[in-house]
Amino acid sequence: MDVSKLPLNALRAFEASARLCSFTRAGLELRVSQTAVSHQVKALEDVLQVSLFERLPRGVALTDEGLALLPVLSDAFRRMSDALSRFEDGNYREVLTVGAVATFATGWLLPRLSGFARAHPQIDLRLKTNNNRADILADGLDCFLRFGDGAWHATNAVKLMDAPLSPICSPGTAARLSKPEDLVHEPLLRSYRLDEWAMWFQGAKLPPPRARGWMFDSSLAMVEAVTQGAGVALVPTAMFSRPLASGAIVQPFQTSVLTGSYWLTWLKSREETSAMQKFRLWMLETVAE
């Protein structure tokens, strides 16, 4: 069927009616009468030669044909709306969807992100916080700020900064710790990277104890548990400068271990857009300051 011959108003009337399950509510949304919506839907059914709704005594119900058409039109109208919303005052705003591990987002990126907005007001940046195992493609990300060694399959990776890990704990727990050996008597909270504590104890020239603390997939949640006295956590302390400065948490020992760094990543199969390039350059410049 030649799509150009389909009446746009009738398609909008059907999509609204199907989504709202009512010609009356669709009319209110589209600012036309219920009768006008009904006529537009009937005109579309005549063109398609199928019934899209069952007319019931109290409302309408989608037919199988209507159910098949609704998601296609909803997606099309949503994409049109997204594209049109990028035009503002005669200028086109580029959309940039950035994923970031929550620790980096809250501990480093957010306090500086207003600088990017000032430098690039034409870019509509959308930030998603993910854990480190997020999927760039499945999550619809242009780029992803993540922690690791930089070796991700089919992925470009630009190193931003090292992230050495050190123990942190509550002030009450810190009062019991006079030397690293004292940690063997405390619950050691863990991330899904199970070798971190062993590496830290090796750096402190101590045999690693058997880990017996809770496990977390988020450093933010782990630090919250620390503030409540649940144990000692091994975290990138540079990402927690504010709670450390306030005294909410304490770094009892200066020994640190480097298990990874923060990287800006994007898929090799994805051509770098202008917005992606501007964000990459801004990140590198800001990290270097």
Side-chain angles (χ1 to χ4, degrees):
M1 175 174 290
D2 187 351
V3 177
S4 65
K5 295 181 180 179
L6 291 175
L8 179 59
N9 283 341
L11 292 172
R12 293 178 65 223
F14 164 75
E15 192 277 335
S17 300
R19 173 166 40 81
L20 299 171
C21 299
S22 167
F23 290 159
T24 300
R25 288 197 292 270
L28 292 173
E29 179 177 292
L30 299 174
R31 299 182 182 179
V32 297
S33 68
Q34 181 269 350
T35 301
V37 171
S38 179
H39 286 165
Q40 289 170 351
V41 171
K42 184 63 172 65
L44 179 61
E45 291 176 320
D46 290 342
V47 172
L48 298 177
Q49 298 181 21
V50 296
S51 293
L52 298 172
F53 289 101
E54 293 181 19
R55 275 70 171 176
L56 305 174
R58 302 183 68 177
V60 293
L62 284 167
T63 63
D64 289 343
E65 291 81 3
L67 285 168
L69 183 58
L70 175 60
V72 178
L73 285 182
S74 293
D75 180 64
F77 283 124
R78 178 189 58 77
R79 293 170 65 183
M80 289 169 61
S81 178
D82 286 348
L84 292 170
S85 68
R86 299 179 190 180
F87 290 88
E88 185 175 292
D89 300 326
N91 297 310
Y92 181 74
R93 291 172 58 82
E94 295 181 86
V95 172
L96 177 66
T97 305
V98 177
V101 290
T103 304
F104 186 82
T106 58
W108 190 91
L109 182 61
L110 288 178
R112 297 167 173 82
L113 204 52
S114 59
F116 180 78
R118 288 192 299 270
H120 302 287
Q122 79 284 4
I123 295 178
D124 181 8
L125 189 143
R126 302 175 182 184
L127 181 64
K128 294 184 178 182
T129 54
N130 310 77
N131 66 31
N132 210 49
R133 296 178 178 179
D135 186 307
I136 296 178
L137 184 61
D139 290 331
L141 306 178
D142 293 310
C143 51
F144 183 24
L145 296 160
R146 66 202 305 180
F147 178 87
D149 59 7
W152 291 282
H153 177 67
T155 301
N156 293 311
V158 175
K159 185 176 178 180
L160 299 174
M161 65 181 72
D162 289 331
L165 309 181
S166 291
I168 58 102
C169 61
S170 68
T173 300
R176 299 193 296 267
L177 303 174
S178 59
K179 55 188 181 300
E181 289 90 330
D182 294 336
L183 288 172
V184 301
H185 305 298
E186 301 292 335
L188 303 180
L189 308 184
R190 298 166 291 161
S191 76
Y192 61 84
R193 294 179 289 271
L194 299 178
D195 59 346
E196 290 177 341
W197 271 116
M199 294 175 66
W200 186 86
F201 275 98
Q202 289 169 6
K205 298 180 171 52
L206 294 171
R210 180 175 176 272
R212 55 186 178 89
W214 300 338
M215 185 179 293
F216 297 80
D217 70 350
S218 163
S219 292
L220 294 178
M222 189 157 54
V223 170
E224 179 59 29
V226 162
T227 65
Q228 298 179 25
V232 182
L234 197 60
V235 300
T237 50
M239 298 298 114
F240 296 95
S241 57
R242 283 173 291 175
L244 282 166
S246 71
I249 58 175
V250 177
Q251 182 180 347
F253 309 113
Q254 295 303 309
T255 301
S256 64
V257 60
L258 184 63
T259 65
S261 306
Y262 286 108
W263 302 75
L264 174 64
T265 68
W266 69 98
L267 294 177
K268 290 182 177 178
S269 59
R270 173 69 187 277
E271 183 177 353
E272 192 178 25
T273 65
S274 171
M276 290 168 64
Q277 182 184 58
K278 290 170 182 173
F279 184 72
R280 172 173 56 82
L281 294 175
W282 176 82
M283 285 291 301
L284 292 173
E285 291 171 0
T286 306
V287 165
E289 291 177 354

PDB file of all heavy atoms in Angstrom, residues 17-49:
ATOM      1  N   SER A  17      -7.042   6.791  19.860  1.00  0.00           N
ATOM      2  CA  SER A  17      -8.203   6.018  20.303  1.00  0.00           C
ATOM      3  C   SER A  17      -7.795   4.649  20.816  1.00  0.00           C
ATOM      4  O   SER A  17      -8.314   4.165  21.835  1.00  0.00           O
ATOM      5  CB  SER A  17      -9.194   5.850  19.146  1.00  0.00           C
ATOM      6  OG  SER A  17      -9.640   7.093  18.674  1.00  0.00           O
ATOM      7  N   ALA A  18      -6.854   4.010  20.123  1.00  0.00           N
ATOM      8  CA  ALA A  18      -6.407   2.683  20.528  1.00  0.00           C
ATOM      9  C   ALA A  18      -5.630   2.742  21.833  1.00  0.00           C
ATOM     10  O   ALA A  18      -5.791   1.891  22.709  1.00  0.00           O
ATOM     11  CB  ALA A  18      -5.541   2.073  19.423  1.00  0.00           C
ATOM     12  N   ARG A  19      -4.799   3.761  21.981  1.00  0.00           N
ATOM     13  CA  ARG A  19      -3.988   3.899  23.194  1.00  0.00           C
ATOM     14  C   ARG A  19      -4.859   4.223  24.404  1.00  0.00           C
ATOM     15  O   ARG A  19      -4.601   3.748  25.516  1.00  0.00           O
ATOM     16  CB  ARG A  19      -2.924   4.977  22.963  1.00  0.00           C
ATOM     17  CG  ARG A  19      -2.098   5.356  24.168  1.00  0.00           C
ATOM     18  CD  ARG A  19      -0.872   6.168  23.786  1.00  0.00           C
ATOM     19  NE  ARG A  19      -1.120   7.135  22.756  1.00  0.00           N
ATOM     20  CZ  ARG A  19      -1.667   8.345  22.943  1.00  0.00           C
ATOM     21  NH1 ARG A  19      -2.031   8.714  24.172  1.00  0.00           N
ATOM     22  NH2 ARG A  19      -1.851   9.184  21.939  1.00  0.00           N
ATOM     23  N   LEU A  20      -5.887   5.051  24.194  1.00  0.00           N
ATOM     24  CA  LEU A  20      -6.748   5.497  25.288  1.00  0.00           C
ATOM     25  C   LEU A  20      -8.014   4.655  25.431  1.00  0.00           C
ATOM     26  O   LEU A  20      -8.777   4.855  26.381  1.00  0.00           O
ATOM     27  CB  LEU A  20      -7.135   6.962  25.067  1.00  0.00           C
ATOM     28  CG  LEU A  20      -5.962   7.947  25.025  1.00  0.00           C
ATOM     29  CD1 LEU A  20      -6.438   9.324  24.571  1.00  0.00           C
ATOM     30  CD2 LEU A  20      -5.285   8.037  26.381  1.00  0.00           C
ATOM     31  N   CYS A  21      -8.234   3.739  24.463  1.00  0.00           N
ATOM     32  CA  CYS A  21      -9.419   2.868  24.482  1.00  0.00           C
ATOM     33  C   CYS A  21     -10.717   3.672  24.511  1.00  0.00           C
ATOM     34  O   CYS A  21     -11.702   3.290  25.153  1.00  0.00           O
ATOM     35  CB  CYS A  21      -9.380   1.914  25.673  1.00  0.00           C
ATOM     36  SG  CYS A  21      -7.968   0.805  25.657  1.00  0.00           S
ATOM     37  N   SER A  22     -10.717   4.801  23.790  1.00  0.00           N
ATOM     38  CA  SER A  22     -11.913   5.651  23.815  1.00  0.00           C
ATOM     39  C   SER A  22     -11.829   6.700  22.718  1.00  0.00           C
ATOM     40  O   SER A  22     -10.810   7.393  22.596  1.00  0.00           O
ATOM     41  CB  SER A  22     -12.038   6.346  25.175  1.00  0.00           C
ATOM     42  OG  SER A  22     -12.997   7.381  25.136  1.00  0.00           O
ATOM     43  N   PHE A  23     -12.884   6.820  21.940  1.00  0.00           N
ATOM     44  CA  PHE A  23     -12.960   7.899  20.962  1.00  0.00           C
ATOM     45  C   PHE A  23     -13.103   9.250  21.672  1.00  0.00           C
ATOM     46  O   PHE A  23     -12.560  10.259  21.214  1.00  0.00           O
ATOM     47  CB  PHE A  23     -14.165   7.700  20.021  1.00  0.00           C
ATOM     48  CG  PHE A  23     -14.002   6.549  19.060  1.00  0.00           C
ATOM     49  CD1 PHE A  23     -15.118   5.979  18.464  1.00  0.00           C
ATOM     50  CD2 PHE A  23     -12.753   6.039  18.737  1.00  0.00           C
ATOM     51  CE1 PHE A  23     -14.995   4.929  17.557  1.00  0.00           C
ATOM     52  CE2 PHE A  23     -12.614   4.988  17.844  1.00  0.00           C
ATOM     53  CZ  PHE A  23     -13.747   4.425  17.250  1.00  0.00           C
ATOM     54  N   THR A  24     -13.843   9.257  22.780  1.00  0.00           N
ATOM     55  CA  THR A  24     -14.063  10.510  23.499  1.00  0.00           C
ATOM     56  C   THR A  24     -12.761  11.059  24.060  1.00  0.00           C
ATOM     57  O   THR A  24     -12.438  12.244  23.892  1.00  0.00           O
ATOM     58  CB  THR A  24     -15.073  10.293  24.638  1.00  0.00           C
ATOM     59  OG1 THR A  24     -16.307   9.842  24.084  1.00  0.00           O
ATOM     60  CG2 THR A  24     -15.298  11.592  25.411  1.00  0.00           C
ATOM     61  N   ARG A  25     -11.982  10.194  24.751  1.00  0.00           N
ATOM     62  CA  ARG A  25     -10.707  10.650  25.314  1.00  0.00           C
ATOM     63  C   ARG A  25      -9.719  11.018  24.220  1.00  0.00           C
ATOM     64  O   ARG A  25      -8.918  11.947  24.377  1.00  0.00           O
ATOM     65  CB  ARG A  25     -10.125   9.578  26.245  1.00  0.00           C
ATOM     66  CG  ARG A  25     -10.892   9.450  27.553  1.00  0.00           C
ATOM     67  CD  ARG A  25     -10.080   8.710  28.608  1.00  0.00           C
ATOM     68  NE  ARG A  25      -9.901   7.312  28.273  1.00  0.00           N
ATOM     69  CZ  ARG A  25     -10.732   6.336  28.643  1.00  0.00           C
ATOM     70  NH1 ARG A  25     -11.823   6.629  29.345  1.00  0.00           N
ATOM     71  NH2 ARG A  25     -10.491   5.085  28.323  1.00  0.00           N
ATOM     72  N   ALA A  26      -9.773  10.298  23.090  1.00  0.00           N
ATOM     73  CA  ALA A  26      -8.904  10.648  21.969  1.00  0.00           C
ATOM     74  C   ALA A  26      -9.253  12.036  21.434  1.00  0.00           C
ATOM     75  O   ALA A  26      -8.369  12.836  21.095  1.00  0.00           O
ATOM     76  CB  ALA A  26      -9.032   9.609  20.863  1.00  0.00           C
ATOM     77  N   GLY A  27     -10.554  12.336  21.379  1.00  0.00           N
ATOM     78  CA  GLY A  27     -10.971  13.655  20.920  1.00  0.00           C
ATOM     79  C   GLY A  27     -10.460  14.758  21.828  1.00  0.00           C
ATOM     80  O   GLY A  27     -10.021  15.815  21.359  1.00  0.00           O
ATOM     81  N   LEU A  28     -10.516  14.524  23.138  1.00  0.00           N
ATOM     82  CA  LEU A  28     -10.006  15.518  24.077  1.00  0.00           C
ATOM     83  C   LEU A  28      -8.503  15.733  23.880  1.00  0.00           C
ATOM     84  O   LEU A  28      -8.021  16.873  23.931  1.00  0.00           O
ATOM     85  CB  LEU A  28     -10.290  15.070  25.510  1.00  0.00           C
ATOM     86  CG  LEU A  28     -11.768  15.057  25.927  1.00  0.00           C
ATOM     87  CD1 LEU A  28     -11.930  14.424  27.307  1.00  0.00           C
ATOM     88  CD2 LEU A  28     -12.339  16.479  25.918  1.00  0.00           C
ATOM     89  N   GLU A  29      -7.766  14.660  23.660  1.00  0.00           N
ATOM     90  CA  GLU A  29      -6.326  14.795  23.466  1.00  0.00           C
ATOM     91  C   GLU A  29      -6.008  15.529  22.176  1.00  0.00           C
ATOM     92  O   GLU A  29      -5.094  16.360  22.124  1.00  0.00           O
ATOM     93  CB  GLU A  29      -5.667  13.407  23.451  1.00  0.00           C
ATOM     94  CG  GLU A  29      -4.151  13.450  23.227  1.00  0.00           C
ATOM     95  CD  GLU A  29      -3.506  12.068  23.281  1.00  0.00           C
ATOM     96  OE1 GLU A  29      -3.478  11.467  24.373  1.00  0.00           O
ATOM     97  OE2 GLU A  29      -3.036  11.607  22.215  1.00  0.00           O
ATOM     98  N   LEU A  30      -6.756  15.205  21.112  1.00  0.00           N
ATOM     99  CA  LEU A  30      -6.490  15.794  19.794  1.00  0.00           C
ATOM    100  C   LEU A  30      -7.231  17.114  19.587  1.00  0.00           C
ATOM    101  O   LEU A  30      -7.065  17.758  18.537  1.00  0.00           O
ATOM    102  CB  LEU A  30      -6.890  14.804  18.698  1.00  0.00           C
ATOM    103  CG  LEU A  30      -6.139  13.468  18.707  1.00  0.00           C
ATOM    104  CD1 LEU A  30      -6.712  12.517  17.663  1.00  0.00           C
ATOM    105  CD2 LEU A  30      -4.644  13.683  18.466  1.00  0.00           C
ATOM    106  N   ARG A  31      -8.068  17.504  20.561  1.00  0.00           N
ATOM    107  CA  ARG A  31      -8.819  18.760  20.513  1.00  0.00           C
ATOM    108  C   ARG A  31      -9.791  18.804  19.333  1.00  0.00           C
ATOM    109  O   ARG A  31      -9.920  19.820  18.629  1.00  0.00           O
ATOM    110  CB  ARG A  31      -7.858  19.953  20.472  1.00  0.00           C
ATOM    111  CG  ARG A  31      -6.958  20.028  21.705  1.00  0.00           C
ATOM    112  CD  ARG A  31      -6.044  21.223  21.671  1.00  0.00           C
ATOM    113  NE  ARG A  31      -5.168  21.241  22.846  1.00  0.00           N
ATOM    114  CZ  ARG A  31      -4.246  22.163  23.085  1.00  0.00           C
ATOM    115  NH1 ARG A  31      -4.093  23.166  22.220  1.00  0.00           N
ATOM    116  NH2 ARG A  31      -3.504  22.102  24.161  1.00  0.00           N
ATOM    117  N   VAL A  32     -10.457  17.677  19.137  1.00  0.00           N
ATOM    118  CA  VAL A  32     -11.540  17.603  18.154  1.00  0.00           C
ATOM    119  C   VAL A  32     -12.689  16.865  18.830  1.00  0.00           C
ATOM    120  O   VAL A  32     -12.554  16.331  19.930  1.00  0.00           O
ATOM    121  CB  VAL A  32     -11.122  16.873  16.860  1.00  0.00           C
ATOM    122  CG1 VAL A  32     -10.003  17.622  16.152  1.00  0.00           C
ATOM    123  CG2 VAL A  32     -10.690  15.432  17.161  1.00  0.00           C
ATOM    124  N   SER A  33     -13.822  16.803  18.178  1.00  0.00           N
ATOM    125  CA  SER A  33     -14.981  16.143  18.775  1.00  0.00           C
ATOM    126  C   SER A  33     -14.864  14.630  18.681  1.00  0.00           C
ATOM    127  O   SER A  33     -14.115  14.086  17.859  1.00  0.00           O
ATOM    128  CB  SER A  33     -16.259  16.595  18.067  1.00  0.00           C
ATOM    129  OG  SER A  33     -16.276  16.093  16.735  1.00  0.00           O
ATOM    130  N   GLN A  34     -15.633  13.954  19.541  1.00  0.00           N
ATOM    131  CA  GLN A  34     -15.685  12.489  19.488  1.00  0.00           C
ATOM    132  C   GLN A  34     -16.187  12.019  18.131  1.00  0.00           C
ATOM    133  O   GLN A  34     -15.721  11.028  17.585  1.00  0.00           O
ATOM    134  CB  GLN A  34     -16.600  11.982  20.615  1.00  0.00           C
ATOM    135  CG  GLN A  34     -16.726  10.465  20.698  1.00  0.00           C
ATOM    136  CD  GLN A  34     -17.892   9.913  19.884  1.00  0.00           C
ATOM    137  OE1 GLN A  34     -18.737  10.689  19.402  1.00  0.00           O
ATOM    138  NE2 GLN A  34     -17.927   8.606  19.715  1.00  0.00           N
ATOM    139  N   THR A  35     -17.123  12.772  17.563  1.00  0.00           N
ATOM    140  CA  THR A  35     -17.673  12.413  16.254  1.00  0.00           C
ATOM    141  C   THR A  35     -16.598  12.495  15.176  1.00  0.00           C
ATOM    142  O   THR A  35     -16.504  11.621  14.298  1.00  0.00           O
ATOM    143  CB  THR A  35     -18.851  13.337  15.898  1.00  0.00           C
ATOM    144  OG1 THR A  35     -19.864  13.220  16.901  1.00  0.00           O
ATOM    145  CG2 THR A  35     -19.440  12.969  14.544  1.00  0.00           C
ATOM    146  N   ALA A  36     -15.765  13.546  15.242  1.00  0.00           N
ATOM    147  CA  ALA A  36     -14.692  13.693  14.252  1.00  0.00           C
ATOM    148  C   ALA A  36     -13.706  12.534  14.341  1.00  0.00           C
ATOM    149  O   ALA A  36     -13.264  12.007  13.315  1.00  0.00           O
ATOM    150  CB  ALA A  36     -13.975  15.023  14.461  1.00  0.00           C
ATOM    151  N   VAL A  37     -13.362  12.128  15.560  1.00  0.00           N
ATOM    152  CA  VAL A  37     -12.451  10.991  15.724  1.00  0.00           C
ATOM    153  C   VAL A  37     -13.065   9.735  15.133  1.00  0.00           C
ATOM    154  O   VAL A  37     -12.404   8.980  14.401  1.00  0.00           O
ATOM    155  CB  VAL A  37     -12.121  10.774  17.219  1.00  0.00           C
ATOM    156  CG1 VAL A  37     -11.357   9.464  17.426  1.00  0.00           C
ATOM    157  CG2 VAL A  37     -11.307  11.935  17.750  1.00  0.00           C
ATOM    158  N   SER A  38     -14.331   9.491  15.434  1.00  0.00           N
ATOM    159  CA  SER A  38     -15.011   8.306  14.923  1.00  0.00           C
ATOM    160  C   SER A  38     -15.022   8.283  13.402  1.00  0.00           C
ATOM    161  O   SER A  38     -14.771   7.250  12.769  1.00  0.00           O
ATOM    162  CB  SER A  38     -16.436   8.256  15.464  1.00  0.00           C
ATOM    163  OG  SER A  38     -17.128   7.136  14.966  1.00  0.00           O
ATOM    164  N   HIS A  39     -15.296   9.440  12.787  1.00  0.00           N
ATOM    165  CA  HIS A  39     -15.319   9.521  11.323  1.00  0.00           C
ATOM    166  C   HIS A  39     -13.930   9.281  10.736  1.00  0.00           C
ATOM    167  O   HIS A  39     -13.791   8.622   9.693  1.00  0.00           O
ATOM    168  CB  HIS A  39     -15.843  10.887  10.885  1.00  0.00           C
ATOM    169  CG  HIS A  39     -17.321  11.039  11.085  1.00  0.00           C
ATOM    170  ND1 HIS A  39     -17.963  12.264  11.042  1.00  0.00           N
ATOM    171  CD2 HIS A  39     -18.298  10.124  11.325  1.00  0.00           C
ATOM    172  CE1 HIS A  39     -19.249  12.099  11.249  1.00  0.00           C
ATOM    173  NE2 HIS A  39     -19.477  10.808  11.427  1.00  0.00           N
ATOM    174  N   GLN A  40     -12.895   9.829  11.374  1.00  0.00           N
ATOM    175  CA  GLN A  40     -11.530   9.638  10.872  1.00  0.00           C
ATOM    176  C   GLN A  40     -11.109   8.175  10.955  1.00  0.00           C
ATOM    177  O   GLN A  40     -10.480   7.643  10.038  1.00  0.00           O
ATOM    178  CB  GLN A  40     -10.562  10.524  11.647  1.00  0.00           C
ATOM    179  CG  GLN A  40     -10.704  12.001  11.322  1.00  0.00           C
ATOM    180  CD  GLN A  40      -9.926  12.892  12.268  1.00  0.00           C
ATOM    181  OE1 GLN A  40      -9.404  12.444  13.280  1.00  0.00           O
ATOM    182  NE2 GLN A  40      -9.856  14.181  11.946  1.00  0.00           N
ATOM    183  N   VAL A  41     -11.444   7.512  12.064  1.00  0.00           N
ATOM    184  CA  VAL A  41     -11.119   6.089  12.197  1.00  0.00           C
ATOM    185  C   VAL A  41     -11.870   5.274  11.149  1.00  0.00           C
ATOM    186  O   VAL A  41     -11.302   4.364  10.534  1.00  0.00           O
ATOM    187  CB  VAL A  41     -11.446   5.591  13.613  1.00  0.00           C
ATOM    188  CG1 VAL A  41     -11.311   4.069  13.701  1.00  0.00           C
ATOM    189  CG2 VAL A  41     -10.528   6.251  14.643  1.00  0.00           C
ATOM    190  N   LYS A  42     -13.145   5.610  10.933  1.00  0.00           N
ATOM    191  CA  LYS A  42     -13.929   4.890   9.917  1.00  0.00           C
ATOM    192  C   LYS A  42     -13.337   5.098   8.533  1.00  0.00           C
ATOM    193  O   LYS A  42     -13.282   4.155   7.710  1.00  0.00           O
ATOM    194  CB  LYS A  42     -15.374   5.386   9.933  1.00  0.00           C
ATOM    195  CG  LYS A  42     -16.297   4.638   8.969  1.00  0.00           C
ATOM    196  CD  LYS A  42     -16.396   3.169   9.360  1.00  0.00           C
ATOM    197  CE  LYS A  42     -17.461   2.434   8.550  1.00  0.00           C
ATOM    198  NZ  LYS A  42     -17.148   2.346   7.110  1.00  0.00           N
ATOM    199  N   ALA A  43     -12.834   6.293   8.252  1.00  0.00           N
ATOM    200  CA  ALA A  43     -12.210   6.556   6.956  1.00  0.00           C
ATOM    201  C   ALA A  43     -10.953   5.703   6.783  1.00  0.00           C
ATOM    202  O   ALA A  43     -10.682   5.185   5.684  1.00  0.00           O
ATOM    203  CB  ALA A  43     -11.864   8.036   6.837  1.00  0.00           C
ATOM    204  N   LEU A  44     -10.170   5.542   7.859  1.00  0.00           N
ATOM    205  CA  LEU A  44      -8.974   4.712   7.788  1.00  0.00           C
ATOM    206  C   LEU A  44      -9.349   3.250   7.567  1.00  0.00           C
ATOM    207  O   LEU A  44      -8.702   2.545   6.775  1.00  0.00           O
ATOM    208  CB  LEU A  44      -8.166   4.866   9.077  1.00  0.00           C
ATOM    209  CG  LEU A  44      -6.872   4.040   9.163  1.00  0.00           C
ATOM    210  CD1 LEU A  44      -5.896   4.435   8.055  1.00  0.00           C
ATOM    211  CD2 LEU A  44      -6.224   4.217  10.531  1.00  0.00           C
ATOM    212  N   GLU A  45     -10.381   2.783   8.251  1.00  0.00           N
ATOM    213  CA  GLU A  45     -10.832   1.405   8.053  1.00  0.00           C
ATOM    214  C   GLU A  45     -11.282   1.183   6.614  1.00  0.00           C
ATOM    215  O   GLU A  45     -11.035   0.111   6.028  1.00  0.00           O
ATOM    216  CB  GLU A  45     -11.967   1.094   9.027  1.00  0.00           C
ATOM    217  CG  GLU A  45     -11.514   1.012  10.484  1.00  0.00           C
ATOM    218  CD  GLU A  45     -12.663   0.792  11.450  1.00  0.00           C
ATOM    219  OE1 GLU A  45     -13.739   1.411  11.238  1.00  0.00           O
ATOM    220  OE2 GLU A  45     -12.491   0.024  12.410  1.00  0.00           O
ATOM    221  N   ASP A  46     -11.928   2.183   6.024  1.00  0.00           N
ATOM    222  CA  ASP A  46     -12.366   2.055   4.634  1.00  0.00           C
ATOM    223  C   ASP A  46     -11.171   1.946   3.695  1.00  0.00           C
ATOM    224  O   ASP A  46     -11.185   1.151   2.739  1.00  0.00           O
ATOM    225  CB  ASP A  46     -13.232   3.256   4.238  1.00  0.00           C
ATOM    226  CG  ASP A  46     -14.595   3.251   4.934  1.00  0.00           C
ATOM    227  OD1 ASP A  46     -14.986   2.173   5.440  1.00  0.00           O
ATOM    228  OD2 ASP A  46     -15.232   4.320   4.990  1.00  0.00           O
ATOM    229  N   VAL A  47     -10.128   2.734   3.951  1.00  0.00           N
ATOM    230  CA  VAL A  47      -8.935   2.674   3.099  1.00  0.00           C
ATOM    231  C   VAL A  47      -8.243   1.321   3.235  1.00  0.00           C
ATOM    232  O   VAL A  47      -7.827   0.710   2.243  1.00  0.00           O
ATOM    233  CB  VAL A  47      -7.963   3.817   3.466  1.00  0.00           C
ATOM    234  CG1 VAL A  47      -6.633   3.642   2.732  1.00  0.00           C
ATOM    235  CG2 VAL A  47      -8.579   5.165   3.123  1.00  0.00           C
ATOM    236  N   LEU A  48      -8.121   0.849   4.490  1.00  0.00           N
ATOM    237  CA  LEU A  48      -7.423  -0.417   4.740  1.00  0.00           C
ATOM    238  C   LEU A  48      -8.302  -1.633   4.461  1.00  0.00           C
ATOM    239  O   LEU A  48      -7.792  -2.761   4.354  1.00  0.00           O
ATOM    240  CB  LEU A  48      -6.951  -0.465   6.194  1.00  0.00           C
ATOM    241  CG  LEU A  48      -5.951   0.609   6.619  1.00  0.00           C
ATOM    242  CD1 LEU A  48      -5.627   0.471   8.112  1.00  0.00           C
ATOM    243  CD2 LEU A  48      -4.661   0.515   5.803  1.00  0.00           C
ATOM    244  N   GLN A  49      -9.610  -1.410   4.411  1.00  0.00           N
ATOM    245  CA  GLN A  49     -10.590  -2.478   4.172  1.00  0.00           C
ATOM    246  C   GLN A  49     -10.557  -3.532   5.278  1.00  0.00           C
ATOM    247  O   GLN A  49     -10.691  -4.733   5.021  1.00  0.00           O
ATOM    248  CB  GLN A  49     -10.358  -3.122   2.792  1.00  0.00           C
ATOM    249  CG  GLN A  49     -10.522  -2.148   1.650  1.00  0.00           C
ATOM    250  CD  GLN A  49     -10.322  -2.784   0.283  1.00  0.00           C
ATOM    251  OE1 GLN A  49     -10.439  -3.992   0.114  1.00  0.00           O
ATOM    252  NE2 GLN A  49     -10.024  -1.961  -0.708  1.00  0.00           N
TER     253      GLN A  49
END
